[in-house]
Amino acid sequence: MITTEIDNLAKKVKSDFPFFTNNPDTIYLDSGATSLKPQIVIDAIVKYYEVYSANIHRGVYKASMDATEIYESTRSVIKNFVGADDDYEVIYLRNTTEAMNLLAFTLNKTKNQLAKNYQAWQNGFEKGDVILITESEHHSNIVPWQMIADEKGLEIVFVPILQNGELSQNAFAEIKEKLKNRCVKVVSLSQVSNVTGIIHNLEPFRTFAREKGAVFIVDGAQAVCHHKINLNEIDADAFAFSGHKMLGPTGTGVLLAKKGLLDNLPPFLGGGDMILDVTKTATTYNKIPHKFEAGTPDIAGVFGLRAAIEYLDRIGMDNILNWEKELLKYGMKKLDEIGVHVFGPSLSDLDRVEKAGVLSFNIPGIHPHDVGTILDEHNVCIRAGHHCCQLLMQAWNTSATNRASFYLYNDFSDIDKLVDSIGYVKKIFKK
Ligand code: PMP
């Protein structure tokens, strides 16, 4: 049962999620970590095993050919969903993390093959080259770069955040000036922060990447689930996301990248499916996307991901974002009323700053893990920790926060329950 109206979207969709039938008293506020799955996604996964079950690409029999057809045509479904034209190719991976590693490690092996499309890439990575990221990145957009920076003597430059989690445009202007004569080879940032929910303006970063002839990469892990993406407009050279945060199965991730980039990168993993021809002395690689998809993939996962996209499309991404914004405003007001410190943009900032349904907060004097544990006793699931964003924690001078993240199936009563439970925590700790 699907609707395009946002007035109480949760009421309309909740019964689509079997989690709530099995856990009727649970308030799930951890969709930033992973979303719940609607029945049709689960059914699509089961259908693959029950009806097709065969491996793809290899079989000359019906079950294999039918499975291959669904698997392959899902690439267009994905492209339509994120507004990507034929310049882009879809690579199936396990998650966003794998996509970022693929990019870092294959770029690290590149010499001058990218020179035609990216003027910073006349040579491969050289000592002193710059990778520009931001302080608000998830570790998956930090650690792979650090791994290759160590090897090649690269400098990673971080655009700092303002205290409310926005990227500092003044600091970015200063950084650009300092990097005037430096070779910047990669500019990479997340579109939506998993800690603040801020939907960052990517345009200044793309402009800078283009000026420098760098590869422009966007981590879309928290973006695809919350709002409509127009990848043609974003014009990223590479854009990565995970299926499990957008109602799809775990173990499914997608890298959308421009053919002009992928054609000139070496493969990431070697093995079956990614080859055209193997001899004792050499291998000819398959064409993209297969060159980057070694081995048997998560076929059932792709079936599930397709069902998730079709479900989200029917609801409408704008309706989801609008609903999250309603929840967000309500939650921020309520937390403010009981003296809880919310990190990130303030209520008044929301007139200016676009933000998805994520609330990071701390109760002064109470460790987030204690809060999370006590909330669990009240059947309220939130996350407590650094959220794989330790640089952001350091910028805020804290080691951890609590995080409540909303999605289409949450409603105002979930927030009331959160607030009541926090009130109980404060009472126990006499705060
Ligand atoms: N980037 C962001 C912004 C994220 O929120 C996450 C997941 N928390 C990731 C990357 C990594 O996603 P995955 O664990 O699915 O690889």
Side-chain angles (χ1 to χ4, degrees):
M1 178 241 15
I2 308 255
T3 178
T4 53
E5 291 159 27
I6 65 152
D7 72 312
N8 211 332
L9 187 53
K11 206 162 147 202
K12 290 165 183 150
V13 301
K14 210 154 180 170
S15 61
D16 296 336
F17 292 81
F19 176 88
F20 295 116
T21 315
N22 294 313
N23 305 276
D25 300 324
T26 301
I27 309 296
Y28 188 74
L29 296 174
D30 198 18
S31 297
T34 198
S35 70
L36 303 178
K37 321 300 171 202
Q39 188 63 51
I40 57 165
V41 167
I42 299 162
D43 290 347
I45 296 166
V46 172
K47 185 171 176 190
Y48 162 72
Y49 289 114
E50 284 182 350
V51 178
Y52 306 93
S53 228
N55 210 332
I56 51 163
H57 296 151
R58 293 149 206 200
V60 289
Y61 50 92
K62 188 168 171 11
S64 171
M65 288 190 291
D66 287 352
T68 303
E69 203 285 314
I70 295 172
Y71 181 86
E72 285 302 325
S73 61
T74 299
R75 295 187 204 267
S76 317
V77 173
I78 292 169
K79 278 203 212 174
N80 282 339
F81 183 62
V82 298
D85 65 19
D86 280 345
D87 272 1
Y88 286 96
E89 197 67 67
V90 166
I91 313 285
Y92 293 126
L93 298 169
R94 284 184 303 143
N95 47 40
T96 308
T97 303
E98 190 177 18
M100 301 315 281
N101 278 274
L102 181 153
L103 291 165
F105 288 98
T106 57
L107 282 169
N108 191 34
K109 278 202 246 155
T110 306
K111 297 197 168 63
N112 64 351
Q113 294 91 330
L114 298 180
K116 199 165 74 142
N117 298 325
Y118 303 93
Q119 84 258 17
W121 285 87
Q122 300 307 318
N123 301 303
F125 278 126
E126 291 176 315
K127 194 171 171 7
D129 283 350
V130 172
I131 293 170
L132 184 98
I133 59 175
T134 84
E135 272 182 0
S136 100
E137 297 314 309
H138 187 275
H139 293 164
S140 59
N141 192 27
I142 301 173
V143 183
W145 303 119
Q146 285 178 336
M147 288 161 85
I148 61 167
D150 276 355
E151 186 191 318
K152 292 273 169 78
L154 314 175
E155 185 184 353
I156 304 179
V157 173
F158 299 87
V159 175
I161 55 158
L162 300 171
Q163 207 50 32
N164 75 352
E166 284 184 84
L167 297 170
S168 166
Q169 294 307 320
N170 288 343
F172 185 33
E174 281 168 26
I175 287 172
K176 285 194 281 193
E177 188 56 31
K178 276 198 196 127
L179 296 178
K180 222 165 159 182
N181 299 317
R182 300 282 297 278
C183 180
V184 179
K185 279 205 161 77
V186 173
V187 173
S188 182
L189 77 160
S190 56
Q191 187 172 15
V192 179
S193 159
N194 59 317
V195 179
T196 63
I198 294 177
I199 305 175
H200 295 296
N201 176 13
L202 300 172
E203 200 274 329
F205 293 88
R206 184 192 57 240
T207 303
F208 179 61
R210 295 288 174 254
E211 275 164 24
K212 288 294 195 179
V215 174
F216 177 48
I217 299 171
V218 174
D219 164 358
Q222 297 287 348
V224 278
C225 38
H226 294 300
H227 66 89
K228 183 84 195 126
I229 304 292
N230 186 336
L231 191 49
N232 291 333
E233 248 172 44
I234 293 172
D235 192 26
D237 298 308
F239 181 92
F241 68 88
S242 301
H244 70 94
K245 292 186 197 290
M246 47 172 288
L247 311 183
T250 54
T252 56
V254 173
L255 171 65
L256 283 125
K258 289 194 177 164
K259 290 177 183 168
L261 173 67
L262 291 172
D263 269 334
N264 295 301
L265 291 175
F268 181 42
L269 301 173
D273 249 26
M274 53 75 75
I275 59 96
L276 283 180
D277 195 44
V278 178
T279 68
K280 276 189 178 163
T281 50
T283 293
T284 327
Y285 302 129
N286 206 342
K287 58 183 185 347
I288 53 170
H290 310 294
K291 184 172 91 174
F292 294 101
E293 295 177 355
T296 300
D298 187 347
I299 307 166
V302 169
F303 277 52
L305 179 60
R306 181 184 186 127
I309 289 173
E310 287 167 353
Y311 182 87
L312 288 171
D313 257 342
R314 286 200 297 273
I315 290 172
M317 293 309 297
D318 290 343
N319 292 331
I320 292 175
L321 183 62
N322 287 337
W323 178 238
E324 285 182 26
K325 283 180 176 173
E326 298 286 319
L327 296 174
L328 203 56
K329 274 191 227 145
Y330 184 77
M332 285 172 83
K333 264 191 213 129
K334 286 271 177 174
L335 289 179
D336 190 50
E337 277 163 24
I338 59 165
V340 166
H341 172 68
V342 175
F343 292 89
S346 65
L347 260 176
S348 58
D349 287 339
L350 294 189
D351 297 337
R352 195 176 43 78
V353 182
E354 279 271 74
K355 177 171 155 85
V358 181
L359 275 183
S360 288
F361 60 90
N362 271 353
I363 308 173
I366 313 178
H367 195 278
H369 282 130
D370 292 330
V371 178
T373 307
I374 297 170
L375 259 54
D376 175 51
E377 288 166 15
H378 290 241
N379 291 325
V380 177
C381 310
I382 61 156
R383 178 136 300 216
H386 54 59
H387 318 295
C388 299
C389 285
Q390 282 184 293
L391 300 190
L392 199 55
M393 298 297 122
Q394 285 154 23
W396 283 337
N397 210 10
T398 185
S399 60
T401 73
N402 302 281
R403 183 186 71 187
S405 45
F406 315 127
Y407 211 6
L408 66 167
Y409 34 69
N410 292 118
D411 64 17
F412 299 113
S413 71
D414 294 344
I415 294 171
D416 290 340
K417 186 83 192 283
L418 169 75
V419 171
D420 288 350
S421 311
I422 291 174
Y424 179 78
V425 175
K426 288 176 78 163
K427 212 155 108 194
I428 295 181
F429 281 86
K430 299 194 170 53
K431 296 286 175 187

